[in-house]
Amino acid sequence: MIRAALQGLGVMQHIDLSLQPMLADGRLLRLMPDWSAPFPGFYLYVPSREQMPPRVRALMEFLVEKREGVAKALGRPVQAPATGG
């Protein structure tokens, strides 16, 4: 979808997060901005961090690392993960 939009072949709907560099440098344009609701991001809910399977912990750490990298690249403050309670 992204490649086709970059080539001018049509309109697409996609998550902002992956399009930020292309929107910032003008390769893509936002259509109907009044209808584009902000997307706060994804959330990962786990029952407990105490006995979390290693695969789930690895996924969680990977996602947090990626989120921090994107935030830094966009010049946004990095938010600490919610701890739940």
Side-chain angles (χ1 to χ4, degrees), residues 51-79:
Q51 296 180 356
M52 186 181 305
R55 290 179 182 178
V56 175
R57 183 170 300 283
L59 172 64
M60 187 170 70
E61 290 170 0
F62 171 79
L63 293 173
V64 168
E65 179 183 314
K66 289 299 177 186
R67 180 187 65 182
E68 291 171 354
V70 169
K72 287 178 185 176
L74 296 175
R76 295 182 180 164
V78 177
Q79 297 176 342

Side-chain angles (χ1 to χ4, degrees), residues 3-79:
R3 255 184 282 155
L6 288 169
Q7 294 172 1
L9 298 176
V11 177
M12 68 166 190
Q13 181 178 3
H14 208 283
I15 296 174
D16 251 15
L17 188 63
S18 59
L19 303 177
Q20 285 298 330
M22 293 165 265
L23 290 167
D25 66 17
R27 288 182 285 162
L28 290 177
L29 300 174
R30 184 180 308 277
L31 299 178
M32 302 186 332
D34 294 340
W35 293 89
S36 298
F39 179 67
F42 295 101
Y43 294 90
L44 178 64
Y45 294 97
V46 293
S48 171
R49 291 186 182 192
E50 291 176 10
Q51 296 180 356
M52 186 181 305
R55 290 179 182 178
V56 175
R57 183 170 300 283
L59 172 64
M60 187 170 70
E61 290 170 0
F62 171 79
L63 293 173
V64 168
E65 179 183 314
K66 289 299 177 186
R67 180 187 65 182
E68 291 171 354
V70 169
K72 287 178 185 176
L74 296 175
R76 295 182 180 164
V78 177
Q79 297 176 342

